[in-house]
Structure formats: structure tokens, C-alpha cells
Amino acid sequence: MSNYSLAEQVLTLAQQSGAAAAEVYCANAQSQPVVFEANRLKQLESSTSEGMALRLWVEGRPGLAVAYGAVEPEILVAKAKAIAELNPPEEIELYAGPSFQGEDPGHWFEPTQLIPWGQAAIAQILDHYPEVLCGLTVECDRETSLLLNSRGFRGGYSTTGLSASLGVEWVRGEDFLGIYDDLDSQGARLPDCQTLLDRIFDHLTSAQDHAPAPLGVMPVLFTPKAAPLFWEVVEEAMSGKACLEEASPWSKRQGDLLLAPNLTLHQDPHQGDDYCPMDDEGMATQAFALINQGIFERMYCDRRVGRQLSQSSTGNGFRTSLGRYPSPGLVNLIVTPGNHRPAALQGMIREGLMVDQILGGGGDLSGDFAVNVDLGYRIHQGEIIGRVKDTMIAGNVYNALKKNVVLGEDVRWVGNYATPSLLVEGLSIVSDEG
């Protein structure tokens, strides 16, 4: 039986058993990674996972039950009804719009295509640095979402993509250097990995010499790979749920100038490598501005939060897992770039730091952060003079982004963020190197 037929059967059975409303959400994932360790092919593996979540309302009381693998419709419905008996009544949130079926723009690659790609990338690194150890995972994956509900909505889509994670480790005496980078693609051809390799080579060259960290309150240049330290906090602050609960410092601040005037942030589900035409409630995802020239224009929300805020859903209701209710989440976050080359940003720093990799978690909703620099460089008179060690940076995201922020033109995707480099002022730098 197909997933669609099984989902229809579960939905029908839930209604026949007395549920006033119900929805069935199915998520299937297939992945096929090729793993290289210590410069050699280590393993080929494939994995599949599938699960179904039933949410129903009996006398207004919600119940949510999940099944993984083989699904027994009667058992799933019985579990959901039993859970509903334990919950207080709530308003039913189901989408009644037109049905939708998306087209997967991606392409599936077999291991026979991925192995030579990985071998060629590693060989190029070893030609220049034969003493390093390379780890590389090249993975093709496909995710499928299907949603049916008792108000007539039927929707689904699949997305197929390729990702590569490359790590290069270099041990010289007591000095350990680890450089890590990623590449994502959704095209029908294997991506050209030269851009990824060029970034690795740049770091291998710049990181060979050490320099003491500059101490005190300094300007810090964040490469696109490190910039999500800021955007993760900003994303959470713009959540309709966080604003509704007044957990965000930006609650009731829509329309206010909260960041530097050259900062514009928006969502566009049609950009990037992740195809996401609808959210997990069936709403169409959409492009819209969140921050416009520093002004907090719009928060993102799901159906329930939107109703509580007296506004419509922005199509951002997503489940963090099958056993969770939809909650506000961004498809992606795109930062409008500036017009400065990375070298020009570096040249603006008389004394400071450039950060490419960090260790540990970032800031919370307060905006405060203190992170260890995993890969960073001291800048003196606009030039990199060496890699810093045992260094930490601390500050507040909101304060830093209110000041003079300078943006690069070098936008790249880092996870779900499209971000350029950014130069911020007033961060504290401390170091134990000595």
C-alpha cells in the first residue's frame, strides 16, 4: 500500500471513530552517504526512515500519536484518541485551502558517481599537502512530506539534494589545525568543488604561522561560515511565538529601528538548495521581508500563533519532529549583501580579529554570547599576520548589530542562511595563549 493510500485509510478511520477533525502527516527520508576517512574510502551506506503522525480532535480535545516504519491504522487511531482524553479542549487549526503537489527539482546521484568525485577532491589536497588527513562525506538525500486533513486538503512534495562536508586535519608537533567546510547542491550535475578546495587552501596557507591574539575590545570580521552566530539569535528574536510569549526582546517592537540601517533580512523559499513550497500545515511558503533597513517589519508565524497575534499565518509552521506540533520556523534567512570585497573588509581593520570557525553554542534570546575561536586570525594594519590559539570572543548580538556594521559582497549559503562576511565593532577578545 502506498503512503498516500495508507494516510487516507488512517484519516478515514479517525473520522469514523468519532474524531471531529483530523490530519495525517507523513515524512520519509532516504540518504546515501559516501564516507572517506584518513584519505581513504571508509564506507558506503544507505538508510531510509519513514513515519506517520496522526493529530485528531475529539470533543475539541487534541491527541497526537506517531508510528515509525510499519503502521497499524487501528492502533495509531486508538493511541491518538487515548491521548486526546488527557488534554484540555483547544481550537482546531486545520488548513482548508486548495490541494498542492510540488515538483522535485533535485537529482539523485548514485555512489558510483560520488566516489570518483570525492577521490578527486582529496587527491588535489594531498598533491599540495601530502601530510594532512582528509575526511569527506558526500551524501545524496531525498525527503518527502505528505499532508492530508479532514477539511479536504491534500499536499505533498519531495526534495533531493547533494551535500559534501570536508575536513582537513594537520598535526605538526603539538600544533593541531582542523579546517572544515561544506558544499550543497541541487543541480542535475555534480558540483564543481574547486570553490570549496580554494577556501581550504587559503586557510592552509594563512594558518601556518601563529600570532598572539589582540586583547581587549576590538573589531572582529566574521566570514560567512562564522556569521550565523548573529543570525541564529536574530531569527529566534523574530519568531512570532517568542514575541507572543514576550520572550523576545523585540516583542511589541514591530516598526521600530532595531538594527543598523544597512541590514535587510528576508525569507525567500525559492532561493537556496532546499526546496520547500509548503509548510507542515499545508500553507504555501512565501517570500517576505523581516528586517528592512534595520526596521523590524514582520515576524514569522504558524496558523495558531498567527491567530493569537490577530494576523494570518506566514506559511512558517514546521514540525521539529513527527511527535511535535507545528511551530514557527523559517525556511531560510537571506541577508542582503554590501559591496565590499573580503580583502577590503580586512583592510579596514587596524588591529583586530578575523573568525572563520567557532566552538560551542552561540547566544540565546538575551543576545549575550561567549564562544571559543576554533579558526581565527589576527589582523594588523589590514593584513593577516597569523593564526590565533586559545582565544575567546564575547559580546551581545543586538548591541553589535546596532552599531556600524560593514557587509561584504561574498554571499554564500551556510545551512539555511545566505550571508556575506560582516565586520562588527566592540567585541571583547580574551586569550589564554601564553
Side-chain angles (χ1 to χ4, degrees):
M1 182 181 297
S2 69
N3 283 339
Y4 186 89
S5 298
L6 182 59
E8 287 279 16
Q9 180 181 339
V10 171
L11 185 64
T12 299
L13 184 60
Q15 293 175 279
Q16 292 174 345
S17 68
E23 71 171 5
V24 178
Y25 178 79
C26 301
N28 299 319
Q30 178 183 3
S31 64
Q32 197 159 257
V34 174
V35 181
F36 294 84
E37 292 183 7
N39 304 333
R40 297 183 179 182
L41 179 64
K42 181 70 174 181
Q43 65 185 49
L44 301 174
E45 58 183 23
S46 61
S47 64
T48 58
S49 64
E50 56 183 6
M52 177 180 292
L54 168 65
R55 183 164 59 147
L56 51 72
W57 288 262
V58 178
E59 297 180 350
R61 301 175 182 270
L64 173 64
V66 177
Y68 296 94
V71 176
E72 296 291 340
E74 294 82 4
I75 295 177
L76 186 61
V77 171
K79 286 183 178 180
K81 290 182 65 179
I83 293 172
E85 294 178 1
L86 305 175
N87 290 324
E90 67 174 21
E91 186 163 341
I92 298 172
E93 293 287 352
L94 289 180
Y95 181 55
S99 296
F100 172 84
Q101 183 61 49
E103 296 292 333
D104 188 350
H107 179 81
W108 186 261
F109 293 95
E110 297 295 335
T112 52
Q113 298 170 280
L114 303 180
I115 293 173
W117 190 91
Q119 289 173 329
I122 292 174
Q124 188 169 338
I125 294 173
L126 296 180
D127 282 345
H128 294 81
Y129 296 90
E131 63 271 40
V132 305
L133 293 177
C134 299
L136 175 63
T137 298
V138 192
E139 181 174 0
C140 191
D141 62 78
R142 175 174 292 145
E143 298 181 356
T144 300
S145 297
L146 175 65
L147 180 68
L148 296 75
N149 69 34
S150 57
R151 291 185 175 173
F153 178 79
R154 302 291 185 271
Y157 69 97
S158 295
T159 177
T160 304
L162 179 72
S163 62
S165 299
L166 175 60
V168 177
E169 298 179 348
W170 192 3
V171 179
R172 296 177 295 167
E174 296 183 356
D175 180 45
F176 173 82
L177 171 64
I179 302 170
Y180 311 97
D181 219 320
D182 301 289
L183 178 69
D184 294 301
S185 174
Q186 204 177 47
R189 294 182 179 180
L190 284 167
D192 182 1
C193 66
Q194 194 58 51
T195 300
L196 176 61
L197 293 175
D198 288 344
R199 292 198 294 258
I200 296 291
F201 285 136
D202 286 344
H203 288 300
L204 286 169
T205 300
S206 300
Q208 294 190 41
D209 297 324
H210 293 125
L215 304 180
V217 178
M218 298 279 180
V220 179
L221 172 59
F222 292 83
T223 68
K225 193 165 61 172
L229 170 70
F230 294 89
W231 311 134
E232 288 168 358
V233 174
V234 171
E235 175 182 356
E236 192 173 359
M238 297 185 295
S239 165
K241 184 174 185 292
C243 291
L244 178 68
E245 296 172 350
E246 297 189 2
S248 170
W250 290 357
S251 298
K252 302 177 182 179
R253 298 294 304 276
Q254 279 187 271
D256 292 351
L257 180 68
L258 301 180
L259 300 181
N262 63 331
L263 285 175
T264 294
L265 287 68
H266 67 281
Q267 172 184 278
D268 187 345
H270 304 296
Q271 294 192 40
D273 298 316
D274 291 330
Y275 173 62
C276 185
M278 74 175 200
D279 70 2
D280 294 342
E281 296 183 296
M283 303 286 292
T285 55
Q286 55 183 302
F288 58 91
L290 293 145
I291 302 288
N292 186 15
Q293 296 181 341
I295 297 173
F296 180 27
E297 282 201 346
R298 192 173 187 182
M299 63 189 77
Y300 59 93
C301 58
D302 60 1
R303 290 177 59 82
R304 183 177 303 279
V305 170
R307 174 175 52 79
Q308 292 173 323
L309 291 170
S310 299
Q311 67 180 51
S312 60
S313 167
T314 58
N316 289 89
F318 293 99
R319 305 166 193 252
T320 55
S321 68
L322 280 176
R324 298 282 187 177
Y325 282 58
S327 61
L330 279 181
V331 176
N332 52 38
L333 184 62
I334 301 171
V335 183
T336 301
N339 54 12
H340 299 281
R341 294 176 179 270
L345 293 178
Q346 180 181 311
M348 297 176 186
I349 302 175
R350 182 184 178 193
E351 200 70 60
L353 198 66
M354 180 170 73
V355 176
D356 185 68
Q357 296 172 186
I358 59 175
L359 289 174
D364 54 23
L365 266 172
S366 72
D368 294 330
F369 68 89
V371 296
N372 292 303
V373 178
D374 186 37
L375 182 60
Y377 306 94
R378 180 170 183 168
I379 299 177
H380 175 70
Q381 302 293 349
E383 299 289 338
I384 292 176
I385 62 172
R387 173 167 59 104
V388 300
K389 299 176 66 176
D390 302 318
T391 299
M392 174 179 284
I393 53 175
N396 182 277
V397 167
Y398 307 116
N399 292 339
L401 294 181
K402 286 178 184 176
K403 298 177 182 178
N404 181 32
V405 178
V406 187
L407 299 171
E409 63 178 11
D410 54 334
V411 175
R412 60 173 285 203
W413 283 94
V414 183
N416 291 328
Y417 302 101
T419 173
S421 297
L422 72 154
L423 174 60
V424 299
E425 300 176 349
L427 299 185
S428 297
I429 303 174
V430 296
S431 177
D432 293 331
E433 186 176 12

